[in-house]
Amino acid sequence: TTTMKMKMFVGKTVEEAMAMVRAEMGADAVILSTRDEDGRVEIRAAIERSFGHKFAAPKFSEVRPMFDETRSQLSSSLRWHGAPDGFVHMVAEAGGRLGAGLETLGSLSAGLEGVLTFNPLSPHQEKSILLVGPHGSGKTTAAAKIAMKLSDRNDPIEAVAADFDCSGQAARLAALMLKVSVTNAITHDHLVRLVREADGKRRRLVIDAPPFNPLDAADMKRCSDLISRLNVEPVLVLAADGHPMDLEDNARAFAAVGCRRVILTRLDAVRRRGGAIAAISSSRLSIAQLGLTPSVGGGLVPASAMRIAQLLVAGSPEAELLKGAA
């Protein structure tokens, strides 16, 4: 019997990170991916552990044809989905090694597990959530879904509109939640007070921030200043229906102001999803939730490697994808 262990190691240099890999996993560790940015090196590695001695594990050379076939299948699928070559190579290599011999869904899931991180939102957040993103990303719908579907009955998450420019954002949020009105912060100072009051009462908010243009340095400075004034976790909301390079630039811009997690929306509106997934991978953001329907009733699905794999494999039933939607 065998089991596969995967882990990410972080060091200041490649040598330091590799030393950590070898110390914990030994010389047989398989390097799935590396990333070197801003004085921080991340290495994802895997090791297969065997239990029992009844059968000897086959050498890699003996399973090479199976590995090559799996890698080829994954490469073809990811390229059809518009994923860039670098992402295709990393996922196909990891999937070929970790999922050789499995059906496509399993091997693709294994490959994605090697290059993506997942961190779904919890009903019991430590901090209130500030949803940020460019115009049209689906922040308002996401805020309504989180407040209506993710809230725990004993620990509700209250939706708040930060409609600083009086654009009707609060009215749209209220309409989505089938309410006459929702709390509306009309200035930065008002929002600061609301967050402080919620913290004092140990309540959590999901705040629909105004849109920020990732191409406008002054606008992103305003976004950064707002985040710095609030005791919140900024979470990026990003629509999947854009050019992969634009999505990557946008994700990196919001990661630079403090976002560590992303909600990927409008996945139901695009057929080729590889570029969006690759953009998130390159930005070092963890995927929190997936938006697979414009309906508020459909909720947001917690992200996982298997769900992403299902999105990239034709014929996955919608009911299966939406299981566990919050």
Side-chain angles (χ1 to χ4, degrees):
T1 303
T2 61
T3 183
M4 183 65 66
K5 176 184 178 182
M6 288 183 286
K7 187 174 179 179
M8 182 172 72
F9 299 85
V10 180
K12 294 181 180 178
T13 64
V14 173
E15 291 76 15
E16 180 180 321
M18 283 299 300
M20 296 166 66
V21 173
R22 299 308 181 203
E24 181 165 333
M25 292 186 167
D28 293 331
V30 176
I31 305 305
L32 304 176
S33 65
T34 62
R35 182 176 292 162
D36 184 355
E37 288 184 16
D38 304 325
R40 168 188 167 107
V41 176
E42 298 176 357
I43 296 180
R44 288 182 179 277
I47 185 70
E48 190 173 60
R49 302 293 189 191
S50 297
F51 300 91
H53 304 282
K54 188 173 182 180
F55 299 104
K59 297 179 180 179
F60 182 65
S61 59
E62 297 173 2
V63 297
R64 181 79 199 196
M66 193 180 295
F67 163 78
D68 288 338
E69 181 181 355
T70 301
R71 183 177 59 177
S72 177
Q73 290 174 345
L74 297 187
S75 296
S76 296
S77 178
L78 290 167
R79 286 199 173 92
W80 185 91
H81 273 280
D85 288 342
F87 184 78
V88 170
H89 176 75
M90 286 192 299
V91 175
E93 286 290 321
R97 288 184 177 274
L98 303 177
L102 298 178
E103 40 79 34
T104 303
L105 194 61
S107 56
L108 180 54
S109 177
L112 291 168
E113 191 76 54
V115 299
L116 296 170
T117 58
F118 304 95
N119 189 7
L121 299 176
S122 164
H124 307 288
Q125 292 291 129
E126 291 185 10
K127 295 182 178 182
S128 292
I129 301 168
L130 179 72
L131 298 182
V132 297
H135 178 76
S137 61
K139 291 185 297 80
T140 303
T141 301
K145 290 182 177 184
I146 290 170
M148 294 177 67
K149 298 292 183 178
L150 194 67
S151 289
D152 185 283
R153 180 175 296 181
N154 298 319
D155 190 15
I157 300 175
E158 179 187 353
V160 172
D163 196 5
F164 301 151
D165 57 1
C166 300
S167 62
Q169 186 174 316
R172 291 196 299 275
L173 181 57
L176 286 168
M177 299 183 67
L178 302 179
K179 289 186 173 185
V180 175
S181 63
V182 295
T183 301
N184 183 20
I186 57 176
T187 66
H188 287 207
D189 290 338
H190 186 194
L191 183 57
V192 170
R193 289 197 303 272
L194 288 173
V195 173
R196 285 178 179 169
E197 290 171 4
D199 287 346
K201 297 176 182 177
R202 295 188 176 181
R203 293 188 293 108
R204 295 294 171 256
L205 311 176
V206 54
I207 304 159
D208 182 17
F212 294 102
N213 183 355
L215 303 180
D216 186 329
D219 214 23
M220 292 307 293
K221 177 65 165 56
R222 285 190 286 272
C223 179
S224 179
D225 290 344
L226 176 63
I227 292 170
S228 68
R229 295 188 64 191
L230 301 171
N231 180 37
V232 296
E233 180 192 353
V235 176
L236 172 61
V237 181
L238 194 65
D241 55 345
H243 191 284
M245 294 180 70
D246 287 333
L247 293 176
E248 181 177 339
D249 289 344
N250 292 351
R252 286 174 177 265
F254 282 98
V257 298
C259 291
R260 294 294 175 264
R261 293 196 275 186
V262 60
I263 297 171
L264 198 55
T265 64
R266 291 183 57 80
L267 285 161
D268 57 310
V270 293
R271 293 182 65 198
R272 289 169 172 81
R273 296 147 170 163
I277 304 301
I280 300 305
S281 173
S282 68
S283 67
R284 304 170 76 175
L285 293 170
S286 295
I287 307 179
Q289 317 288 128
L290 306 172
L292 303 174
T293 169
S295 166
V296 174
L300 296 168
V301 177
S304 68
M306 180 55 73
R307 283 202 171 99
I308 298 290
Q310 288 175 310
L311 285 168
L312 299 175
V313 173
S316 295
E318 182 177 330
E320 286 295 316
L321 289 169
L322 290 172
K323 278 184 179 178

